[in-house]
Amino acid sequence: MTHDGLKAIDRRAFLSGTTGALAASLLPGSATSGDAKRRLVLAETQASLVGSGHPKTRVWSYNGTVPGPELRFKQGERLQIEVENRLPQETTVHWHGIRLPNAMDGVPHLTQQPIARGGKFVYAFDLPDAGTYWYHPHMLSSEQVGRGLYGPLIVEEREPIRVDRELTWVLDDWRLRPDAQIDDGFGNMMDASHAGRIGNTVTINGRVPDTVAVRRGERIRLRLINAANARIFGLEFAGHEPIVIAYDGQPVDPHRLKQRRLDLGPAMRADLVIDMMGKPGERFTLTDSFYRRQAYKLVDLVYGSESLRETRLDATFALAANTMPEPDIGNAVRHDIVFQGGMMGMMVERQMGGGSGSGMGMGGMGGGMGSMRDMMHSGRIWRINGVAAEGHVMKPMLTLERGKSYVLAMTNMTAWPHPIHLHGHSFRVISRNGAPTRDREWLDTVLMSSRERVEIAFVADNPGDWMFHCHILEHQAAGMMGVIRVA
Ligand code: C2O
Ligand code: CU
């Protein structure tokens, strides 16, 4: 039986549960019909984000749904998709986390011409690594992603692990007006200089969630994707012990969540295995507590009367490693990278001794409140090694030699957390604040706290000009972006 066949059966079983109507919304918007795997059409549509009793929301969508269709391929398969743009703006599609050829990376003007209104573009590339990825525009991303353009891209392992059910949850955070329409104030300086466009309505798979029906004994693989512009999620699973098996699509030694909270910045993913060991009829709340004093209930897990099994499923869940080349850290070339800017950035720079290590220092920003005003005025609020990006085409901040190992020693000299993303590669996170990381996890997007120092290592094996940027989309638009060239 094909994997799709199995999913169909699971879905029917799920829908026959007590909360069928709501449960349906927690499944992917639409499974990969053969057609979605070949064609994505961008258009405006109406979506019932907030649910009954509220007006529908005008959104931008891929194939008429938010999220866009869940694209599923097998590891090693080739993705070939024609994208047709019926939106009032130019666009591109970026396949976040996939190690693909540079020309397919979807960065406007840098790797391709934008897809014009009414235009088409065919993306075609192989999928070297299994894992949980996603796709989204790389053009006016704050607005285009903020209006609903994103979808999951799942690359299945050749040997899938055994679970009873697999769920993909694409998390998003919308800024809606009382009439449930999207607030148009994209790109304002207030958001750009602070935490980004934090919204007021959190959805899972395009719906404000209520409950998820589960069964005692059931083992679920939960693929989480943070598609929000700016919100960082800090998920706590009361009464359960999720095991992390992958971050950003890349397998990690399976481990229980530290401190019982999973922090996921924008663009980050995690694959969890959860054994549902509550009792029939019990109810557990999944809480997002990332922003202190603003914790809220994300969704409730509700046990139906039926029990699937009484003890944990006895099956392994370690995933086979992908094919990433191992960096030679002892002989790696080191580069320092300093992130600066934003509200209260001057204060942090003074405390940390601005510019230590980089030699780039204040990057000509001068200091003092006058320059903060200038920054706000010009919209160039954030800097990487002293440079605030304007658009995607820029002089490379680093040129790396193809095939060599590199360590990037990054310092967040700002008052805000930033999820930092590198295109075209995955990297190991080898240290935080000077201490080796336990998991040496492979990521493509690493969340840095204010004042934190993080070292990442990778082999620069994919030639081309690759974006390196904060995935808080308002920070990216306000300068927090650079180009790393591999030649
Ligand atoms: Cu998810 Cu530069 O992107
Ligand atoms: Cu940022």
Side-chain angles (χ1 to χ4, degrees):
M1 189 185 291
T2 68
H3 188 87
D4 279 335
L6 285 170
K7 270 193 354 180
I9 286 169
D10 287 347
R11 180 164 307 149
R12 275 196 298 278
F14 192 33
L15 290 173
S16 66
T18 50
T19 56
L22 284 161
S25 69
L26 294 172
L27 289 161
S30 49
T32 313
S33 71
D35 194 48
K37 280 174 79 166
R38 287 191 289 273
R39 203 165 117 84
L40 288 175
V41 180
L42 287 78
E44 187 173 290
T45 186
Q46 307 268 341
S48 185
L49 299 181
V50 198
S52 57
H54 297 273
K56 288 190 169 185
T57 306
R58 222 172 313 113
V59 297
W60 290 355
S61 71
Y62 293 108
N63 291 5
T65 62
V66 173
E70 178 170 295
L71 305 176
R72 288 191 90 101
F73 293 86
K74 284 244 183 294
Q75 183 171 14
E77 270 186 345
R78 188 166 180 81
L79 175 156
Q80 176 155 347
I81 295 181
E82 181 184 74
V83 176
E84 181 180 342
N85 178 15
R86 295 191 197 148
L87 287 175
Q89 285 179 0
E90 299 179 318
T91 194
T92 63
V93 182
H94 172 60
W95 311 90
H96 184 115
I98 304 286
R99 298 187 300 142
L100 41 60
N102 192 252
M104 293 291 121
D105 199 38
V107 179
H109 306 293
L110 186 73
T111 68
Q112 69 171 98
Q113 283 313 305
I115 310 172
R117 299 156 56 177
K120 291 180 183 173
F121 187 87
V122 177
Y123 291 93
F125 50 88
D126 296 333
L127 297 159
D129 303 312
T132 302
Y133 305 94
W134 64 300
Y135 56 97
H136 65 80
H138 220 285
M139 179 119 208
L140 301 168
S141 304
S142 166
E143 174 168 9
Q144 294 196 3
V145 177
R147 291 193 185 278
L149 289 173
Y150 55 79
L153 169 56
I154 308 299
V155 184
E156 296 168 353
E157 294 88 19
R158 294 197 177 93
E159 306 276 341
I161 56 167
R162 186 174 159 213
V163 297
D164 298 304
R165 185 148 58 108
E166 190 172 306
L167 295 177
T168 305
W169 286 4
V170 188
L171 307 175
D172 194 8
D173 171 36
W174 307 73
R175 190 178 289 176
L176 300 181
R177 306 186 315 230
D179 63 355
Q181 298 312 307
I182 294 170
D183 182 306
D184 288 318
F186 290 99
N188 74 70
M189 286 304 125
M190 183 69 184
D191 290 337
S193 59
H194 292 74
R197 183 178 158 103
I198 303 286
N200 52 21
T201 306
V202 169
T203 57
I204 298 178
N205 296 343
R207 281 288 296 264
V208 173
D210 179 17
T211 61
V212 182
V214 300
R215 291 169 291 174
R216 175 172 171 79
E218 181 178 37
R219 173 168 289 178
I220 290 180
R221 176 177 185 169
L222 178 59
R223 298 175 185 265
L224 293 164
I225 302 170
N226 182 354
N229 282 33
R231 181 179 290 276
I232 302 167
F233 290 88
L235 302 178
E236 295 184 70
F237 295 76
H240 294 78
E241 295 193 322
I243 294 165
V244 184
I245 57 168
Y247 291 113
D248 287 1
Q250 307 306 328
V252 64
D253 275 345
H255 58 268
R256 292 191 198 290
L257 281 177
K258 286 171 277 188
Q259 298 138 10
R260 310 223 157 202
R261 199 176 85 176
L262 174 68
D263 288 350
L264 267 195
M268 296 169 66
R269 290 91 65 212
D271 283 40
L272 307 179
V273 165
I274 312 177
D275 285 319
M276 297 296 167
M277 298 313 293
K279 296 190 188 62
E282 279 191 308
R283 188 178 185 110
F284 296 91
T285 294
L286 208 163
T287 306
D288 172 12
S289 63
F290 185 81
Y291 302 97
R292 270 174 297 157
R293 293 193 297 277
Q294 290 175 40
Y296 64 94
K297 172 185 112 172
L298 179 64
V299 70
D300 276 348
L301 303 180
V302 177
Y303 282 79
S305 51
E306 172 208 2
S307 166
L308 192 65
R309 63 175 73 79
E310 285 307 312
T311 53
R312 274 170 216 283
L313 178 65
D314 183 17
T316 61
F317 37 67
L319 300 168
N322 281 318
T323 56
M324 232 71 67
E326 189 62 40
D328 174 0
I329 293 172
N331 294 305
V333 177
R334 286 176 65 90
H335 290 285
D336 289 309
I337 296 181
V338 181
F339 301 95
Q340 290 166 299
M343 201 50 88
M344 297 177 298
M346 297 295 175
M347 186 187 76
V348 176
E349 286 174 33
R350 266 196 297 273
Q351 287 166 352
M352 295 184 75
S356 66
S358 75
M360 305 270 181
M362 309 290 274
M365 293 310 297
M369 287 317 289
S371 62
M372 188 69 212
R373 257 197 308 276
D374 293 347
M375 237 156 60
M376 298 285 269
H377 193 74
S378 66
R380 300 172 75 191
I381 291 170
W382 304 91
R383 310 178 310 281
I384 305 181
N385 283 359
V387 177
E390 276 184 295
H392 290 86
V393 181
M394 45 193 308
K395 182 165 158 281
M397 54 179 280
L398 293 175
T399 298
L400 310 182
E401 199 178 316
R402 185 175 177 186
K404 277 217 163 128
S405 294
Y406 290 88
V407 169
L408 304 186
M410 311 192 293
T411 304
N412 177 3
M413 218 176 267
T414 81
W416 306 88
H418 304 285
I420 301 298
H421 174 45
L422 173 63
H423 286 208
H425 300 77
S426 291
F427 47 78
R428 276 198 190 279
V429 182
I430 58 172
S431 80
R432 287 184 181 267
N433 290 329
T437 56
R438 191 194 59 182
D439 297 308
R440 303 179 82 248
E441 59 273 25
W442 289 105
L443 301 181
D444 55 60
T445 308
V446 61
L447 185 60
M448 298 184 73
S449 307
S450 169
R451 300 168 168 82
E452 195 176 24
R453 289 176 294 123
V454 175
E455 285 182 313
I456 62 172
F458 62 102
V459 178
D461 64 342
N462 199 355
D465 280 0
W466 301 104
M467 301 314 299
F468 174 74
H469 64 88
C470 178
H471 221 289
I472 290 178
L473 300 174
E474 294 70 33
H475 292 179
Q476 179 192 3
M480 206 167 195
M481 178 160 68
V483 168
I484 294 183
R485 174 170 293 169
V486 177

